[in-house]
Amino acid sequence: DTARTFSKKAVNCRGIHGDVWLAAEPKGVLISDVQCRPSVKNGRIELSVGFECGDVSAPPSGLRVVAEIYDGDTRVKTFTSREYTPADDARLVFGGEWKDPKLWDLDAPQNLYAVKTRLEQDGKTIDELYPEEFGFREIRIEGRNLMLNGSVVHFRPRNTRYPVEGAVSGEDIRKAALKMKEFGFN
């Protein structure tokens, strides 16, 4: 039986030790999210913008949302909303015509745009979202057909059996996809 003795230790440090991260948000109305709703059939785009209304004692006036759409570094479209007040719904929907967009498709997945959305009050930016990437495309059902950008698409699985699991190479998959495309599948 060994006796244990403990001594009292003290740490002579005060304050915060380690990393501290502070996050600040302005009081009032902020943009929470943006949804891009393109329509190939109608040649239009709608932007649905959501808001968070924090500490708002008196509803601010002169609020508008500006959405700038970029193709890479080039601005291709700008849409400005009607005036918004926090008494409105939690979402504001606006947009306009867009007759000649680059369409996102199964064969053109690189056709993407970015929307930069900001909230302005009397022309001064009070909140801004990070750019949101989207593809201008429309999927809908007409009768028994699944339509992508106005064209019928067929998604058919290919039942292929290989004797050894993992025996399929990327080149095998590419060749099979090209052959199926040749037969009219997409």
Side-chain angles (χ1 to χ4, degrees):
D1 297 272
T2 50
R4 291 186 189 172
T5 57
F6 294 97
S7 63
K8 189 173 183 182
K9 300 283 181 179
V11 178
N12 293 325
C13 296
R14 294 180 186 214
I16 298 173
H17 297 277
D19 295 334
V20 175
W21 299 96
L22 299 176
E25 290 184 356
K27 291 182 179 182
V29 181
L30 303 173
I31 299 174
S32 64
D33 67 286
V34 62
Q35 297 172 355
C36 300
R37 300 176 183 167
S39 173
V40 174
K41 183 178 180 181
N42 298 326
R44 296 185 56 80
I45 187 167
E46 281 187 346
L47 300 146
S48 175
V49 179
F51 297 93
E52 292 177 9
C53 298
D55 186 19
V56 179
S57 53
S61 62
L63 296 175
R64 293 189 189 282
V65 177
V66 177
E68 296 176 322
I69 299 177
Y70 286 82
D71 181 5
D73 293 331
T74 306
R75 184 174 62 206
V76 292
K77 290 281 183 185
T78 302
F79 299 102
T80 304
S81 74
R82 63 175 170 78
E83 190 169 319
Y84 171 80
T85 59
D88 290 342
D89 292 333
R91 300 200 73 80
L92 177 64
V93 178
F94 65 101
E97 281 192 358
W98 194 351
K99 297 293 184 188
D100 60 347
K102 292 188 319 184
L103 299 180
W104 180 95
D105 198 325
L106 298 171
D107 296 322
Q110 72 280 4
N111 288 350
L112 295 173
Y113 293 99
V115 61
K116 296 180 181 178
T117 311
R118 68 180 179 271
L119 181 63
E120 294 183 349
Q121 183 173 28
D122 300 323
K124 180 183 170 195
T125 300
I126 60 172
D127 190 27
E128 189 170 357
L129 283 184
Y130 288 107
E132 184 76 33
E133 199 171 54
F134 72 97
F136 201 104
R137 50 77 187 117
E138 182 174 44
I139 299 171
R140 66 179 190 276
I141 297 173
E142 286 187 6
R144 60 184 213 127
N145 293 322
L146 179 64
M147 309 291 287
L148 173 63
N149 298 335
S151 299
V152 176
V153 290
H154 302 285
F155 298 108
R156 293 190 175 104
R158 184 163 185 241
N159 187 7
T160 306
R161 296 192 178 128
Y162 289 92
V164 179
E165 189 174 319
V168 181
S169 70
E171 184 62 23
D172 292 336
I173 293 170
R174 189 183 73 72
K175 285 179 183 176
L178 288 173
K179 191 57 118 173
M180 290 179 74
K181 188 174 182 179
E182 187 179 307
F183 291 137
F185 299 106
N186 38 16

